């Protein structure tokens, strides 16, 4: 089961609009599209895993999410997907 399936009832009833980077179309500016969607979000879910913590791009998105949380009050929801070093992350206070 994937997250889009779990959120389907909410999406189908018009209660949420979900977005994730696999919705980026060929030719779109990847980072600009991600940043714009983060800027316009009401809630940002961070799916924390070893791969997430090891990714420079994911860490950049995490930093942007924290900035938006502090500046605009956007809710940031960390979801720990697997046993990983999330407690050792210097920004783990949001987890």
């Amino acid at each position: 089961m994937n997250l889009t399936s779990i959120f389907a009832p909410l999406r189908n009833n018009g209660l949420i609009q979900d977005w994730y980077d696999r919705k980026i179309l060929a030719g779109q500016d990847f980072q600009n599209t991600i940043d714009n969607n983060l800027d316009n979000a009401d809630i940002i879910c961070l799916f924390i895993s070893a791969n997430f913590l090891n990714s420079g791009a994911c860490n950049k998105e995490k930093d942007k999410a924290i900035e938006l949380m502090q500046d605009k009050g956007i809710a940031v929801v960390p979801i720990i997907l697997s046993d990983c070093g999330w407690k050792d992350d210097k920004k783990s206070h949001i987890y």
Side-chain angles (χ1 to χ4, degrees):
M1 184 176 296
N2 64 41
L3 194 60
T4 58
S5 297
I6 293 169
F7 286 149
L10 297 172
R11 187 179 50 258
N12 294 342
N13 289 315
L15 299 172
I16 66 166
Q17 292 179 356
D18 59 343
W19 186 89
Y20 48 96
D21 63 2
R22 296 199 189 259
K23 290 187 175 185
I24 297 173
L25 302 175
Q28 285 184 303
D29 182 322
F30 190 79
Q31 192 59 54
N32 190 42
T33 303
I34 290 172
D35 289 343
N36 285 338
N37 278 280
L38 288 173
D39 285 336
N40 292 315
D42 295 314
I43 300 171
I44 299 171
C45 295
L46 299 175
F47 296 94
I48 310 299
S49 67
N51 289 334
F52 177 94
L53 295 172
N54 192 45
S55 167
C58 289
N59 278 288
K60 183 176 178 183
E61 292 168 20
K62 175 184 63 179
D63 291 344
K64 174 81 171 175
I66 293 169
E67 175 186 316
L68 291 167
M69 179 180 66
Q70 293 169 340
D71 294 348
K72 296 171 84 175
I74 292 175
V76 176
V77 180
I79 300 168
I80 311 301
L81 296 178
S82 61
D83 189 22
C84 58
W86 65 269
K87 290 180 182 177
D88 297 322
D89 182 17
K90 60 185 168 186
K91 299 202 176 157
S92 67
H93 63 279
I94 69 159
Y95 310 147

